[in-house]
Amino acid sequence: MSGKTRLAARVLGISDLSAAHAESMYRLYSRYYAGGSHSRFMQDLSQKDYCILLQDERQAVRGFTTLAISEHVISNQRLRCLFSGDTVIQHQFWGEQTLPRAWCRFAGHLKAQEPQLPLYWLLIVKGHRTYRYLKVFFPALFSGGQLPDPGTGPAHHGLPGTGTLWTVL
């Protein structure tokens, strides 16, 4: 291993997130995204269910992703949706696989709770790195303009996210 600091991932319920962690998350977010206000970030964070926090050996926040879980009934079929919200990783840690591994464990745990329940991942893709992960892990992707007919493929009507990518987990 090179001298690079390794990150550790923790999944926290938003209600379990300390104010100091939330502030650290906002500071990191504001370095990478222009135009986002503190109040808007905190409001958006409060509407999520979980976050995956990436921390270095000193417990400093070096990255995170926020997650919301929702359930829907579409065409008489119950389904669950995992929405990936804000995601930021400090530049010096780009290329680390800590976040994708933690996300896969979380999604796997969620799917294992009710294996028969379809689980969709709703993701707004803003960069090529994220899109590359999708193509590796998921054989079927649907963008807002390419969604299949509900009678022949995964249901999509009534769910938020025009212009986003969907995949079935």
Side-chain angles (χ1 to χ4, degrees):
M1 178 172 126
S2 68
K4 193 173 185 177
T5 302
R6 302 269 315 160
L7 297 177
R10 290 190 336 174
V11 176
L12 295 170
I14 295 302
S15 61
D16 298 324
L17 196 61
S18 72
H21 282 135
E23 290 298 328
S24 293
M25 290 166 65
Y26 173 71
R27 283 192 301 276
L28 184 59
Y29 173 86
S30 67
R31 285 193 288 185
Y32 291 90
Y33 291 99
S37 71
H38 182 269
S39 62
R40 176 74 179 133
F41 178 84
M42 292 301 173
Q43 178 187 11
D44 184 69
L45 182 61
S46 73
Q47 295 172 352
K48 301 301 186 285
D49 299 302
Y50 295 93
C51 75
I52 299 175
L53 205 58
L54 303 177
Q55 295 174 288
D56 65 17
E57 69 278 353
R58 294 175 302 150
Q59 303 303 305
V61 174
R62 302 301 183 183
F64 66 89
T65 191
T66 61
L67 303 163
I69 301 167
S70 59
E71 290 197 11
H72 307 270
V73 176
I74 299 172
S75 300
N76 294 319
Q77 181 181 7
R78 190 171 146 247
L79 61 91
R80 183 177 285 163
C81 180
L82 175 58
F83 172 73
S84 291
D86 294 326
T87 302
V88 181
I89 300 175
Q90 191 172 321
H91 184 264
Q92 74 188 66
F93 298 100
W94 288 4
E96 272 226 12
Q97 298 304 302
T98 306
L99 180 58
R101 286 185 194 121
W103 187 93
C104 286
R105 281 190 304 272
F106 181 83
H109 173 76
L110 193 60
K111 180 67 176 170
Q113 290 175 350
E114 292 189 67
Q116 76 290 352
L117 185 64
L119 177 62
Y120 287 76
W121 181 24
L122 172 57
L123 175 67
I124 300 170
V125 178
K126 295 180 184 175
H128 69 281
R129 286 180 183 91
T130 305
Y131 187 75
R132 286 189 310 190
Y133 276 113
L134 291 171
K135 293 176 81 172
V136 169
F137 290 115
F138 304 104
L141 301 172
F142 308 99
S143 72
Q146 301 171 332
L147 291 171
D149 182 284
T152 62
H156 65 276
H157 293 289
L159 295 177
T162 301
T164 59
L165 292 175
W166 294 85
T167 191
V168 182
L169 303 177

